[in-house]
Amino acid sequence: MLLRKIRHQKSARYRILRERLTEPMHLNFAALAVALGGSLRARIDFDIVQRPHYAYGLLAAADQAAEQGLKAFTAVEFGVAAGEGLLNLCSIAKRVEQATGIAVKIAGFDSGCGMPPPIDYRDHPEEFQFGDFPMDHDRLRAQLPSNCQLVLGAVNQTVPNFLAHRLDAEAPLGFAAFDLDYYTSTREALALLADPDPSKYVFLPLLYFDDIVLPNYNGWAGELLAVHEFNHCHELRKIEAYRFLRSRRIMKNARWIDQIYLLHLFDHPRLKRRREIRTMPNVYF
Ligand SMILES: C[S@@+](CC[C@H](N)C(=O)[O-])C[C@H]1O[C@@H](n2cnc3c(N)ncnc32)[C@H](O)[C@@H]1O
């Protein structure tokens, strides 16, 4: 699948050339060895998966779920369109389940009939228009695994319903990818992060924002404006870019690293957890 994408998509080819060939050669050789027989974790560490941002987010959420003693977590994709991203999310989730033993419940949110009309300049009408990215529901549904539900309708209707009836502490939200393109749609989708019950979230849910990378994207429009408004409106919930993620990655040139954000829940039960008193070593004693 990754090879097919490289063969057919010029932008994917250029990005791989720009990002991979500018990495140190010894790392590219190591990546080749991992590609030939590495574990899923090693493949994710070396970015040898299609949509490495999905793979990284799913594995990091699974690790958190395991650490919190959970058996499952929820991952969502906002903006499904033809469904390539959602099917990719499902296939990586299956491999993450096998590698970690943590089950992944998946939901894909979409209008089902493409982009709604933009409201104003904040929706980047220079990039997107009414009717872009339609979906063939029947064809997509036929390919989705049983752990994935396609939630069709405007997100301002479907998200409150999902929060009330589908998201729970048994499989809290661990990873969410935002690819709704518009400011207004993203603002509505971010309601998913604002349920008053903090046990519906892992301690640090991972978020991916797709539409922040072009030079004309900025903090006064699009997804970034929606994030700023969310932070302004929620005293105990803050979305912030994952600072220093780049320093934790082996392949440091990947663009997706700057698209990973974290949801900080200052009302999460984890903040009330008390451990034994720790001591610091002192080599001078
Ligand atoms: C760029 S496409 C998503 C592409 C997909 N993530 C992928 O990687 O294959 C954006 C999608 O967001 C959906 N969308 C935008 N605003 C929406 C809204 N308010 N409610 C539901 N869906 C919406 C559109 O239907 C469109 O299919």
Side-chain angles (χ1 to χ4, degrees), residues 51 54 77-86 109-116 132-134 153-156 179-182 185 188:
R51 285 193 177 75
Y54 280 10
E77 184 189 61
F78 281 109
V80 175
E84 191 180 291
L86 188 61
F109 289 84
D110 200 279
S111 67
C113 48
M115 296 297 290
D132 274 350
F133 318 127
V155 287
N156 63 354
D179 189 11
L180 293 166
D181 304 333
Y182 288 164
S185 303
E188 290 157 5

Side-chain angles (χ1 to χ4, degrees), residues 40 44 54-55 58-59 62 73 75 86-106 145 147-148 175:
L40 177 67
I44 293 175
Y54 280 10
L58 286 173
L59 184 62
F73 73 93
L86 188 61
L87 287 169
N88 186 232
L89 189 73
C90 293
S91 117
I92 302 168
K94 193 170 161 200
R95 292 159 73 192
V96 167
E97 283 183 359
Q98 285 161 355
T100 63
I102 301 290
V104 190
K105 280 174 75 175
I106 302 167
N147 63 333
C148 176
F175 175 63

